[in-house]
Amino acid sequence: MDINYKLVSEFTYPEKSIVWSYRMWVKLISIAKDPRQTLIKKFSQSLVQEAVYHFDKFMRITAYNAYRPVDIRFPCCLYIGEGELEILSTLSFSQGNFHELKEILLNRWIPKNSIKDASNSIDEIAKSFAKAGLFFLFTMSILNQWKLIQKILKM
């Protein structure tokens, strides 16, 4: 399935929350506003406000270090971008204890010298959501990321 046609509405609540959060983070940063207060309000609805620090840190690592563009769409976009799916996949892999897969995927846009910090931030976000009973599912889209990783490993 071409992920450009994957509707955000098809995702679970925690996944939609993350999609909304990184879209809002990018929007607020682009207009020189601190996104943390907005994220605290959103994450508090799910009792995962402690994840805001790690989410913000992960997004800053991505913004400052990405060596290729990460497809994060506007807040009102109905469809999920490839970069958005990759971020969701890292959270799913983290909750499933597939840390090597998570790091291989992170390496698609984050340089090796920043992988450890980015990976730790993803792990902390995933743990906060899991503690609140919120999980990032292994969907067909996530499994397609696994297929992509298999191709990368064969190179």
Side-chain angles (χ1 to χ4, degrees):
M1 171 185 279
D2 183 351
I3 59 99
N4 287 320
Y5 298 107
K6 181 85 172 158
L7 289 168
V8 174
S9 62
E10 296 175 15
F11 287 89
T12 64
Y13 173 76
E15 294 164 335
K16 289 177 194 174
S17 293
I18 290 292
V19 170
W20 180 89
S21 297
Y22 47 65
R23 288 178 176 189
M24 286 306 294
W25 189 94
V26 169
K27 178 183 177 183
L28 292 169
I29 288 291
S30 72
I31 59 173
K33 290 194 176 183
D34 187 344
R36 289 175 290 193
Q37 278 306 114
T38 301
L39 294 174
I40 287 169
K41 288 178 189 170
K42 179 65 174 174
F43 282 35
S44 293
Q45 294 171 354
S46 303
L47 304 175
V48 292
Q49 58 271 25
E50 74 275 7
V52 169
Y53 169 79
H54 301 288
F55 183 86
D56 183 63
K57 184 176 180 182
F58 171 76
M59 292 301 292
R60 289 178 193 275
I61 290 168
T62 297
Y64 296 139
N65 296 303
Y67 56 80
R68 73 164 174 87
V70 179
D71 181 13
I72 294 179
R73 308 218 169 156
F74 290 106
C76 61
C77 186
L78 297 175
Y79 301 101
I80 193 149
E82 181 180 358
E84 295 174 324
L85 182 60
E86 289 173 341
I87 295 170
L88 286 175
S89 297
T90 63
L91 290 162
S92 182
F93 289 149
S94 177
Q95 283 185 338
N97 290 318
F98 297 111
H99 298 290
E100 185 177 345
L101 298 178
K102 173 193 61 188
E103 291 181 6
I104 290 169
L105 197 53
L106 285 170
N107 195 40
R108 291 201 64 218
W109 73 91
I110 294 176
K112 288 195 186 305
N113 63 346
S114 298
I115 291 287
K116 184 178 180 194
D117 287 338
S119 180
N120 289 341
S121 292
I122 287 292
D123 288 343
E124 291 301 322
I125 297 164
K127 282 180 204 171
S128 292
F129 274 74
K131 265 189 350 191
L134 302 169
F135 298 95
F136 303 98
L137 303 179
F138 282 96
T139 62
M140 282 309 295
S141 298
I142 304 296
L143 293 176
N144 286 336
Q145 292 298 313
W146 165 240
K147 290 176 187 172
L148 171 70
I149 290 170
Q150 287 178 317
K151 287 180 188 175
I152 292 169
L153 291 175
K154 288 180 183 176
M155 294 178 155

